[in-house]
Amino acid sequence: MAKKSNKRQRSRAVELKRQLEQEKLAGERERAKNRWNPAGRALLYIDLVFLAVLSLLEANRLIDRQISGLCTIIGVIVLLAALWLLFGDGGKKRPGKGSRL
């Protein structure tokens, strides 16, 4: 009779181990789903550095105001593109989601 209870305990331990592994895999899938697009993330960092350098150059009057304005407009356009890559559709069709109005 003792052998039966040992088998049941081992089976339960295996079942608990399997359940923990499934939870771990589910957590990894969820993290992978929520990751930022690497291209969008790199574009965002580059754009923020570009705008910071531009701000320093303008504050020290090393570049003309018109050039600074043009570069700021370019920086804002790149920023919007990076945000679209990160939070927009990004060219991927998401199954199960209806049209987003």
Side-chain angles (χ1 to χ4, degrees):
M1 196 114 176
K3 290 182 181 179
K4 278 188 175 181
S5 66
N6 284 342
K7 278 188 174 181
R8 286 183 189 158
Q9 286 178 355
R10 287 185 192 140
S11 175
R12 183 170 178 176
V14 168
E15 191 62 37
L16 287 173
K17 185 186 259 187
R18 188 177 302 140
Q19 184 180 9
L20 287 173
E21 288 175 9
Q22 290 296 325
E23 289 174 3
K24 182 180 174 185
L25 286 174
E28 288 176 5
R29 283 187 209 123
E30 188 65 30
R31 278 195 307 269
K33 187 172 115 179
N34 291 333
R35 270 193 200 133
W36 277 5
N37 181 348
R41 184 178 53 215
L43 194 59
L44 179 65
Y45 290 147
I46 290 169
D47 186 51
L48 290 176
V49 169
F50 172 73
L51 288 173
V53 169
L54 180 67
S55 177
L56 287 173
L57 290 175
E58 185 180 6
N60 291 326
R61 296 183 183 159
L62 296 175
I63 59 172
D64 193 26
R65 291 182 67 93
Q66 291 151 342
I67 295 172
S68 172
L70 180 65
C71 290
T72 302
I73 291 171
I74 292 170
V76 168
I77 291 170
V78 172
L79 176 66
L80 291 175
L83 292 175
W84 181 77
L85 283 173
L86 292 173
F87 302 113
D89 201 13
K92 297 178 186 174
K93 299 291 181 188
R94 294 181 182 157
K97 301 251 180 174
S99 63
R100 295 171 22 178
L101 297 176

